[in-house]
Amino acid sequence: MDIATLRDADFTAMYGTADGYAKLAGRFTIHTTSWKNGVDGRVATSGWSGSTSAAARTSLHGTTAKLTAAQTELRLISDVVRYGADALMLAQSKLRKALDDLRTAGMTINECGDISWPATTYSDHHDPDYSPKSTATAISARITAALTDAGTADQTVSERLRHYMQRARDGSGLDPVAAVGDQVDPQLSAISVVTAALPRQDAPPTEVNAWWQGLTSDEQQRLIKDHPDLVGNRDGIPAVDRNQANRFALPKLIDKYEQKTPPLSEEDQRKLDGFRSIRERLKAASEQPGDQPPVYLLGIGEEGQGRGILSFGNPDTAQNVTSFVGGLNTELKRVGGGDADRAKAVYDAAQHTDPSRSTASIVWLGYDPPLKSGSGLPVPAIVADDRAQAGADAYNKFLAGQRATHQGAPAHVTAQGHSYGSLLVGLAAQRPGGLPADDVILVGSPGTGAKHASDFSVGADHVFVGAADNDYVSHAPSGLGAVGPALDPNGAWFGTDPATTEFGGTRFRVPPGPLDGSAHSGYWDDGQRDDKTSVHNIGAIVSGRSDLVQKVNGR
């Protein structure tokens, strides 16, 4: 495909074609239901017996199967054409944006793709920012990528339509087994045509952001509305757009789980409860007074135990941004419940410390925390770091995405981890390349896998630790009884106890907490159990005013 063809093509007719096949598939569904209930089903329950009736029932069942297969094939054709149009529109949008940028730079391009620009002047030669060759090279690469995407989409759609055409010609499209095979065959997946036009899943957030900014606003909105699941959880896409996409996706997820045949599995029920909890939080936020921060839904999904990310304030414009990671027994419903309360408490504390600076406080559930067993004791898996290791890379990428989409001067970024979540944050801060944060806060921590705070990319002076005297987790292994022998012999589950002087972080003052075991969850005033010293210290760190933190000696 050449530049002129892709630039000038009108793909809207493809959507009309897709709609036509979708309507035809719908009619076949109605026809199949009518046939099954009015003929096939009635004969099957008529009481007619004998060899003739058996042959008739076999023939009628065969017709029902053929109608069902035809409906399936027609719907698959509709999807291929629609998603192919989406992919071609994406490629066209990328091309047109590149050509606009070329014109803005004062350059031209011929039919062969050769880029030229006016002869440089004396002042151009002495302008350190003037580099026409590098600009032309970068835009040329974008044009090539758009043409490649369009060619791939065109070829893929053509091949799949030829496949369905052959099905129609040889009659195999009426074979229910063949139709089901087409439906589940990953090589025929219609959505893959669109995903092929998106950055790869492991693409860095900066690449995702550059791709997104290269789309026209119309194409961005098309993706948000038609494919929210492909947009809402991509690190590198702006918060406003992720929020819009995820608000389209959330009711679909709720409906999906509500439509499942009861009773739901324990895991599915947890997810449904979580989705509903987030929906209620968003509803409550929409009804709150105007002086409260807007709430952004930055992530939602059914992966693993469920995924959810909420932000109080816009992280792309806030001057202070913090992301909280929960630990043991953090279910999805906490994203809309208790953990959202914690994030809001930190937002309020940071704003109280420095009202002149804007804040975004995020609750991040992008991994599968260990869950308690029915007895209430931690499952044995909690003494392993595999879940934290798996989540550390996702958390690192999320923070990198915040950096990529942030507007204006870089924000002051604080990573917060509670309980097992502090292990995740600590591991992320020890990854090659470091954690994209300025400060790290560890509360109720069972350890981070580090011997010393200087192992963190932020440096020991920027590691802050909160450990209540009556928090059993921060005194592991002695507070965990039977699972103690599996713990690290150095006095913490994972590495050096962060609350000790030996660790080298800055320990801040928190109330001792009750003796009933609830001190582990009281750092953000859950249930009004303390005097807010803890959350105010956290707010001071988040606002960049660690000089106001009330410090105490390490153990």
Side-chain angles (χ1 to χ4, degrees):
M1 188 172 293
D2 57 41
I3 293 174
T5 300
L6 180 58
R7 179 194 63 207
D8 301 330
D10 181 2
F11 299 113
T12 56
M14 292 182 67
Y15 291 104
T17 301
D19 288 342
Y21 275 99
K23 290 180 180 178
L24 191 57
R27 294 292 178 87
F28 261 79
T29 301
I30 296 172
H31 182 36
T32 302
T33 302
S34 176
W35 166 264
K36 185 175 181 180
N37 295 337
V39 180
D40 190 1
R42 292 180 66 180
V43 170
T45 60
S46 66
W48 182 24
S49 61
S51 58
T52 303
S53 68
R57 283 198 295 271
T58 299
S59 177
L60 294 175
H61 288 338
T63 300
T64 300
K66 289 179 180 180
L67 290 171
T68 302
Q71 180 270 329
T72 299
E73 293 285 294
L74 289 167
R75 181 175 54 79
L76 292 173
I77 292 172
S78 173
D79 289 346
V80 166
V81 176
R82 185 179 309 282
Y83 293 151
D86 287 341
L88 289 167
M89 291 283 279
L90 276 172
Q92 185 182 66
S93 179
K94 290 166 65 174
L95 174 65
R96 288 178 174 177
K97 184 65 166 60
L99 294 176
D100 286 343
D101 290 346
L102 199 67
R103 284 190 290 271
T104 301
M107 299 179 177
T108 58
I109 186 170
N110 62 23
E111 294 181 357
C112 298
D114 299 320
I115 298 174
S116 58
W117 55 90
T120 56
T121 65
Y122 176 82
S123 60
D124 291 334
H125 283 293
H126 292 80
D127 183 352
D129 296 325
Y130 186 72
S131 180
K133 186 174 182 179
S134 60
T135 299
T137 300
I139 295 178
S140 177
R142 290 165 55 192
I143 291 172
T144 300
L147 294 174
T148 300
D149 288 349
T152 300
D154 182 46
Q155 180 179 354
T156 303
V157 171
S158 297
E159 290 175 350
R160 293 178 186 180
L161 289 179
R162 280 194 291 271
H163 169 82
Y164 293 121
M165 184 182 298
Q166 184 60 37
R167 287 280 198 218
R169 284 174 174 168
D170 62 20
S172 60
L174 298 179
D175 179 357
V177 175
V180 171
D182 287 348
Q183 191 171 14
V184 300
D185 188 348
Q187 298 298 319
L188 295 172
S189 170
I191 192 63
S192 67
V193 183
V194 179
T195 56
L198 274 59
R200 64 189 189 282
Q201 281 297 320
D202 62 347
T206 50
E207 181 180 323
V208 174
N209 185 251
W211 163 77
W212 185 256
Q213 299 302 337
L215 301 177
T216 64
S217 58
D218 287 344
E219 197 55 37
Q220 290 174 352
Q221 286 300 308
R222 183 188 299 277
L223 276 177
I224 288 170
K225 293 178 180 178
D226 294 347
H227 305 288
D229 54 316
L230 301 180
V231 174
N233 297 308
R234 292 302 294 264
D235 297 318
I237 291 179
V240 170
D241 298 323
R242 289 180 69 161
N243 174 64
Q244 186 183 1
N246 288 320
R247 286 175 184 257
F248 279 120
L250 179 59
K252 295 180 180 179
L253 285 170
I254 292 174
D255 183 66
K256 174 181 177 179
Y257 280 79
E258 287 181 340
Q259 295 301 318
K260 287 192 173 186
T261 303
L264 295 181
S265 67
E266 183 179 358
E267 183 177 79
D268 283 351
Q269 188 62 55
R270 281 199 189 106
K271 291 179 183 179
L272 178 56
D273 291 343
F275 296 143
R276 287 171 172 170
S277 174
I278 291 171
R279 179 181 62 185
E280 292 308 307
R281 174 67 66 164
L282 294 173
K283 180 182 177 182
S286 68
E287 300 169 350
Q288 66 190 6
D291 59 347
Q292 294 298 305
V295 179
Y296 294 81
L297 183 56
L298 301 182
I300 193 72
E302 55 184 334
E303 178 187 352
Q305 295 165 193
R307 299 289 186 262
I309 310 171
L310 278 180
S311 178
F312 292 86
N314 186 344
D316 290 347
T317 58
Q319 294 163 296
N320 300 312
V321 180
T322 182
S323 299
F324 167 81
V325 184
L328 170 66
N329 217 37
T330 299
E331 298 180 17
L332 182 60
K333 65 182 179 182
R334 285 199 62 87
V335 173
D339 282 356
D341 293 337
R342 292 174 176 179
K344 178 56 165 58
V346 171
Y347 173 92
D348 291 338
Q351 288 296 106
H352 175 77
T353 300
D354 189 350
S356 69
R357 290 175 60 84
S358 54
T359 301
S361 183
I362 300 168
V363 51
W364 182 88
L365 182 60
Y367 82 118
D368 292 328
L371 300 178
K372 289 183 179 179
S373 66
S375 65
L377 290 174
V379 294
I382 193 172
V383 299
D385 66 357
D386 55 333
R387 294 179 179 233
Q389 291 281 8
D393 290 332
Y395 184 66
N396 224 326
K397 191 175 181 182
F398 175 73
L399 294 193
Q402 299 300 308
R403 292 291 195 193
T405 58
H406 195 268
Q407 303 168 24
H412 172 253
V413 176
T414 305
Q416 291 183 73
H418 173 234
S419 188
Y420 190 86
S422 70
L423 170 63
L424 184 153
V425 170
L427 291 172
Q430 296 172 71
R431 287 288 197 266
L435 183 68
D438 302 293
D439 292 310
V440 168
I441 300 175
L442 312 170
V443 288
S445 179
T448 63
K451 291 184 177 180
H452 194 273
S454 59
D455 294 337
F456 289 7
S457 58
V458 297
D461 291 344
H462 294 274
V463 178
F464 299 88
V465 182
D469 290 342
N470 295 324
D471 180 355
Y472 67 96
V473 173
S474 73
H475 287 283
S478 59
L480 287 175
V483 297
L487 305 179
D488 188 283
N490 295 322
W493 297 2
F494 309 98
T496 305
D497 180 356
T500 61
T501 303
E502 177 188 0
F503 184 70
T506 299
R507 188 179 177 191
F508 57 87
R509 181 173 177 264
V510 302
L515 291 170
D516 60 4
S518 60
H520 183 57
S521 60
Y523 295 94
W524 299 267
D525 303 322
D526 279 5
Q528 302 300 315
R529 286 192 290 263
D530 65 30
D531 59 7
K532 297 189 177 181
T533 303
S534 174
V535 75
H536 284 170
N537 280 326
I538 293 173
I541 298 164
V542 168
S543 66
R545 294 301 308 275
S546 58
D547 56 302
L548 300 178
V549 170
Q550 301 174 47
K551 303 173 183 177
V552 295
N553 293 329
R555 292 175 182 149

